[in-house]
Amino acid sequence: MGRKRNQGRARKAAKAKQEAEERGNNNSQTTANEPEEQIQRIQSGNSNKCMHGGDVTVTALQFTYAFFKSFDEARGNGLSILKCLTAAHDVTMDEYAEVWIDSAKMELAISCLLCKGTEDILDGEYDLARLSATFARYFEEHIAVVLKETQALFRWNKFHEAPNCDQHTLVKFFRKRIPCSCLDEKYEEVKDIPKMGICFSSQCTLPNGRVEYSKTMYCDRCRSVTYCSRECQIADWKEHKDECGIFADQISEFEATKQA
């Protein structure tokens, strides 16, 4: 009886795995077809939908899609958000180096993400919109830190917040970046939802370390992490101390260079 029971469980597990793989393949195919449809629409000039101010080009679409695929593959390997973003950057660097070194082309990629994210919100696909917001934020930071050198560091805390941000924060992110009024009605629906931030202390007792954004406090020295309270900041100091020093040195060096 034990052997039959185990065989039955094995068959069920194999069937479940096959069904999951089939669903995954179908989802991948749906995602893969999407940029092709958008490219055809751009090339034909037959788009009746608002593009939300997006100056969408074929290259920008292909680049953002390649970035998404690389990010998704890294996430499938269980990597953190920051490591997934870095992996996607490294994978797409060779084929799209001309985009990564050109702020104008990066802005076009951001336009694609703003257009897609806005459409996802209107369709109720908030998790997809959060991904677009995460990528758009990463590209904005790349322009500011690497290309234009207007700030010293990537604001990594923003990338921790974006994938799980509340609807108020999400809709506001896109609404203030698009010139159309397509999200005005949606913003009225969500504007009373409390905006939430993250406490970076591993010892934080709040559920998922989430705290109302108005109550968060930055590390005064590096301003790269946030906490829900002074107690959590003190508790996290042993873990944060080394990177805080590195960040603070980079900020000092950046400010000295700008003043020279």
Side-chain angles (χ1 to χ4, degrees):
M1 287 295 292
R3 181 180 298 177
K4 289 184 179 180
R5 187 181 297 112
N6 289 337
Q7 289 175 343
R9 289 175 178 172
R11 284 195 296 270
K12 289 181 180 179
K15 182 178 179 181
K17 180 179 180 182
Q18 181 180 357
E19 290 175 349
E21 289 176 348
E22 289 175 354
R23 287 195 299 271
N25 290 336
N26 290 337
N27 290 340
S28 298
Q29 186 174 3
T30 301
T31 306
N33 287 338
E34 183 178 344
E36 298 302 326
E37 294 171 359
Q38 293 183 18
I39 289 170
Q40 292 174 7
R41 191 173 68 195
I42 293 169
Q43 290 175 332
S44 66
N46 295 324
S47 175
N48 295 322
K49 282 188 173 182
C50 176
M51 298 299 287
H52 314 298
D55 187 8
V56 181
T57 66
V58 172
T59 300
L61 269 175
Q62 292 172 333
F63 166 69
T64 53
Y65 177 61
F67 190 88
F68 172 84
K69 280 187 65 178
S70 300
F71 178 91
D72 207 39
E73 289 172 2
R75 190 169 57 171
N77 293 326
L79 299 181
S80 67
I81 292 295
L82 304 188
K83 289 183 178 179
C84 287
L85 290 169
T86 302
H89 170 273
D90 294 344
V91 169
T92 56
M93 175 56 80
D94 288 339
E95 186 175 358
Y96 294 99
E98 78 281 3
V99 178
W100 284 111
I101 63 174
D102 189 324
S103 60
K105 290 179 180 178
M106 288 298 294
E107 291 286 357
L108 291 174
I110 293 171
S111 289
C112 288
L113 293 167
L114 296 180
C115 178
K116 184 181 186 310
T118 299
E119 281 298 306
D120 287 334
I121 289 174
L122 294 173
D123 290 338
E125 299 286 353
Y126 291 104
D127 284 341
L128 290 177
R130 289 183 177 97
L131 269 184
S132 292
T134 302
F135 299 162
R137 175 76 75 178
Y138 182 72
F139 294 168
E140 288 174 348
E141 295 288 297
H142 176 81
I143 291 173
V145 175
V146 179
L147 300 182
K148 295 186 176 180
E149 298 182 352
T150 56
Q151 68 186 51
L153 303 170
F154 280 72
R155 292 173 292 183
W156 295 110
N157 59 300
K158 299 297 183 182
F159 306 132
H160 279 288
E161 294 171 359
N164 300 297
C165 66
D166 57 87
Q167 291 183 15
H168 182 175
T169 300
L170 182 68
V171 174
K172 184 177 180 179
F173 176 89
F174 286 98
R175 182 172 176 258
K176 72 178 184 180
R177 286 168 169 79
I178 59 175
C180 59
S181 58
C182 292
L183 288 179
D184 287 0
E185 183 176 345
K186 180 63 66 174
Y187 183 72
E188 289 298 315
E189 295 176 11
V190 302
K191 68 179 183 180
D192 292 329
I193 296 175
K195 296 178 68 176
M196 305 297 289
I198 293 178
C199 178
F200 276 71
S201 174
S202 60
Q203 300 180 45
C204 182
T205 58
L206 294 174
N208 300 315
R210 306 291 288 178
V211 59
E212 284 192 38
Y213 191 79
S214 61
K215 297 179 181 179
T216 58
M217 52 185 295
Y218 279 93
C219 170
D220 290 335
R221 190 180 182 199
C222 71
R223 298 193 64 80
S224 294
V225 295
T226 52
Y227 299 101
C228 67
S229 65
R230 178 65 175 166
E231 289 73 21
C232 271
Q233 183 178 15
I234 293 173
D236 190 54
W237 179 240
K238 287 185 178 180
E239 295 183 28
H240 177 57
K241 181 178 179 180
D242 289 341
E243 69 175 7
C244 183
I246 294 172
F247 292 157
D249 289 345
Q250 290 176 333
I251 293 172
S252 297
E253 182 180 348
F254 174 80
E255 292 176 348
T257 300
K258 289 299 180 182
Q259 292 174 3

